[in-house]
Amino acid sequence: MTAAADIHPKTVRGVTRIARNAKAAAARLATTLTAEKDAALQAIAEGLRESSARIVKANESDLAKGAENGMSESLLDRLRLDEARIAAIADSVEQVIDIPDPVGTTVLGRTLPNGIRLTQSRVPMGVIGAIYEARPNVTVDIAILALKAGNASILRGGSAAENTNAELVSVLRRAVESVRLPADTISTIDQYGRDGASVLMNSRDYVDLLIPRGGAELINAVVQDSIVPVIETGIGNVHMFIDSSATVKTAVDLVINSKTQRPSVCNSLETLLVHEKAAKRILPKLLERLEAAGVVVHADADVAALAPQSMRIRRVSRRDWAKEYLDLELAVKLVSGIDEAIDHIRAYTSGHTEVIVTKDIDNAETFVTAIDAAAVGVNVSTRFTDGGEFGFGAEVGISTQKLHARGPMGVEQLTTTKWIMQGNGQIRD
């Protein structure tokens, strides 16, 4: 990120003005009724459907530019919006309407010995900033979840999705304004580029929380450079361990779904660990299916010996164990048992999602207890670590840190709390 001294004063003034206006909008939202917020969300859903053709056209421009610049197919898939995806996004907005409003709910309540009634109540964060890459669906997800929780949002979506995000933010602002909420409930600083993101990271007077979503380089830069509090949404070096008791069908189905259903997202499988006692029984069929799906496998000679003759196995390196491919690539390793699997995951996990495939209840419990990650699964696809799948309607990211929020972040995770003391004149001795 750019040093503050090197940023043009016009950029500093522009981003600061947007942040100041967002803070004013957040003050209005803090007292907004649930019905008003839901009306804004309904207007957003309808606006997305009505503007679908314009959004697709803007997205086509970004896709063409991305292809010209050599963007990988997996990243182009993240960037792509078609009418079906826009319809699905609009549907997710309406799902957020159905989610209970967390603002004002009581977390804890009790009466102290001196008669003071003490209540811990949920309140909005205030202004939430988001910095992300080539993911136009995130523009909507963050804006609507922030709104439902009574927050204003400031978005920096990156140059790769510049045209798409500009169209989306325009739709969102018009929709919010149509129900008499401030247009500055949702803002973008894309026009100020990377320098604008640097200013946002230093806007502690106006921004209450910053959420980065993207690759390791982006996330690390925001975590290291921001003076605004950050929730780290880490990379997804996701593991699956196939235990010796796993059935062939369950193991193969879960691996194929976890790796190939949508390989460009953070909850897709990146490293597969297979109990050596299950290798001859499960790997030939699994490797055959992976080859048919176009998956490039990184492994050693022991795994290669079980692969179809037509399948080329790339020699695995130490770097592969720590890599988030975000593509049709998979690292595979044989392990002597659950202890080695756990040790390997502990050494390389990004703290996102880890899954065991087993029929052994004791091994399942050991795995769940020993693995430290935002989400741990037993006999499920890794693709279920998702705000929508968890019933949140959408998500602003999957937090891999341990403070405040962990795992998929929905509406409730975009609130904080305050303590309310009600008395009748009590004084402290």
Side-chain angles (χ1 to χ4, degrees), residues 78-145:
R78 282 186 173 189
L79 176 59
R80 184 174 290 108
L81 285 183
D82 53 27
E83 291 190 0
R85 287 188 178 182
I86 294 169
I89 292 171
D91 290 343
S92 74
V93 177
E94 292 178 332
Q95 291 170 15
V96 173
I97 295 173
D98 295 332
I99 295 172
D101 188 346
V103 177
T105 59
T106 297
V107 177
L108 177 69
R110 68 185 181 208
T111 301
L112 302 180
N114 59 11
I116 293 176
R117 296 189 300 280
L118 185 64
T119 305
Q120 185 184 20
S121 181
R122 290 201 175 276
V123 296
M125 282 283 181
V127 177
I128 295 174
I131 300 175
Y132 51 100
E133 301 169 316
R135 308 179 187 194
N137 64 297
V138 174
T139 298
V140 179
D141 288 348
I142 291 178
I144 63 173
L145 290 172

Side-chain angles (χ1 to χ4, degrees), residues 148 176 207 346 373 409:
K148 180 75 178 196
V176 167
V207 182
R346 284 175 172 169
M409 295 176 58

